[in-house]
Amino acid sequence: MRAITESIGSRFRGTNMLPYWLIIPALIYLALFFFSPMVQAFRLAFEGADGGWTAEHFTMMVNDADFGRAFWFTLALVVVIVPIQFVLALTMALVVNAKLRGRGVWLYIFILPLAISDLAAGIIWYAIFTERGYLNTILEGIGLIDQAVIWIDPTRSGFLLGQVILAELWRSTALVMVVLVAGLQGIPKEYGEAAEVFGAGYLRRLWRVTLPMLKPALAVALLLRTVLAFEVFATVIAITGRGATVLTAEAWRWHGTYRDPNVAAAYAALILVLTVAAAALILRIFRTRREQLIR
């Protein structure tokens, strides 16, 4: 026993412990504000009225009339928003990172929507799409329509999805762009210049040099955006009311309206599982070799 203790002690003495001490505050923060609420949510989701384990709350969630609508709207939102936002953000990041005159102005213009909250962004886009909103006024003014079009129509889920997607693209693409700009500025210019010397054009350099070296930043950006896409809430409610719904809105409804924290926790657990599965897929696709991480 003494030999084992001395062996462990000598191993720690030979190790620089400073990095481990520095991450302790972050670990305490995560334990208090993330891990503990997560455990509480799972406990509520599986706890029965008699204190035992049950799947009754998940059964109630699946049998809820709005569950299917919320589930498919959330998935459609994530599947459509993330690729479009990725392409837009990459284009914006390349513009900001290019040696163009006034590129700082472009950066300020692009990140302006980040200063606006989800709810405010939803109200702005509601004012655009409502029957007497800006869109109908402009279309009537230039003669494209004779009478106001009802864009926010609860019977046309495709229209509602498109409106939420536009609002989310406008509001949060800059978030992805900021991560990509940081990644682009970390790529040494010598790689691109060497490729240019060997005759590679702009698109070839982008595909063969820039994007492979941008993989760690791409993974972070996509991970961040996918997680946030599963949490879209205020924008959907502000634009569509009850015309469309998402999983987060249903969790809020069961907790706030029906006063049933167990079913609300079941919704939260489902959102967590979907988010973790999507994050694992992204990390798998964008797996980066160790030599790129320590570059």
Side-chain angles (χ1 to χ4, degrees):
M1 185 66 186
R2 183 178 177 182
I4 295 173
T5 306
E6 287 178 354
S7 173
I8 294 173
S10 63
R11 181 167 297 179
F12 273 100
R13 279 195 297 276
T15 306
N16 181 11
M17 296 298 293
L18 181 60
Y20 300 99
W21 288 112
L22 291 177
I23 65 171
I24 285 178
L27 291 177
I28 294 173
Y29 177 83
L30 289 173
L32 286 177
F33 297 104
F34 287 89
F35 186 70
S36 176
M38 185 176 70
V39 171
Q40 289 289 331
F42 273 103
R43 185 184 62 77
L44 280 173
F46 288 101
E47 188 178 60
D50 58 353
W53 297 102
T54 179
E56 177 189 354
H57 310 303
F58 286 93
T59 306
M60 288 178 66
M61 177 187 74
V62 173
N63 291 332
D64 180 23
D66 288 320
F67 172 76
R69 211 159 57 96
F71 182 81
W72 291 115
F73 197 91
T74 303
L75 282 191
L77 207 56
V78 173
V79 169
V80 176
I81 278 183
V82 173
I84 296 176
Q85 208 157 41
F86 166 72
V87 174
L88 287 176
L90 181 60
T91 306
M92 291 157 62
L94 290 171
V95 169
V96 171
N97 199 53
K99 297 174 182 176
L100 299 175
R101 181 175 295 179
R103 60 180 180 173
V105 177
W106 285 109
L107 179 61
Y108 288 119
I109 293 173
F110 288 152
I111 66 173
L112 194 59
L114 275 183
I116 300 172
S117 70
D118 303 13
L119 183 59
I123 292 172
I124 290 170
W125 283 87
Y126 176 79
I128 292 172
F129 288 117
T130 192
E131 193 173 348
R132 295 295 174 191
Y134 296 111
L135 181 58
N136 277 336
T137 302
I138 292 172
L139 293 178
E140 284 179 332
I142 60 178
L144 286 181
I145 57 174
D146 297 326
Q147 58 184 6
V149 177
I150 300 175
W151 301 103
I152 303 176
D153 184 351
T155 63
R156 304 169 82 172
S157 59
F159 270 30
L160 299 180
L161 180 65
Q163 290 151 18
V164 174
I165 287 171
L166 281 175
E168 278 295 305
L169 289 176
W170 175 76
R171 188 188 65 80
S172 60
T173 300
L175 184 65
V176 183
M177 181 207 70
V178 169
V179 178
L180 296 184
V181 168
L184 284 172
Q185 292 182 349
I187 299 175
K189 295 178 181 176
E190 289 79 7
Y191 291 100
E193 291 171 353
E196 192 173 2
V197 168
F198 284 101
Y202 178 78
L203 291 178
R204 194 171 181 82
R205 293 200 305 275
L206 176 65
W207 185 254
R208 294 288 187 184
V209 179
T210 305
L211 287 181
M213 302 196 75
L214 197 58
K215 270 178 71 176
L218 289 174
V220 172
L222 283 178
L223 197 61
L224 188 64
R225 188 56 194 115
T226 304
V227 170
L228 293 177
F230 275 109
E231 297 174 1
V232 170
F233 172 60
T235 310
V236 178
I237 291 179
I239 295 176
T240 70
R242 287 293 295 164
T245 185
V246 286
L247 292 174
T248 46
E250 290 308 302
W252 171 77
R253 187 167 65 90
W254 276 90
H255 192 277
T257 305
Y258 300 147
R259 301 291 180 189
D260 191 331
N262 299 98
V263 179
Y267 269 103
L270 175 63
I271 294 168
L272 177 63
V273 169
L274 291 174
T275 304
V276 170
L281 180 64
I282 291 171
L283 291 176
R284 175 74 181 172
I285 293 172
F286 286 89
R287 189 171 48 183
T288 308
R289 294 198 302 269
R290 182 176 173 80
E291 54 267 29
Q292 283 183 276
L293 289 174
I294 62 177
R295 174 172 50 82

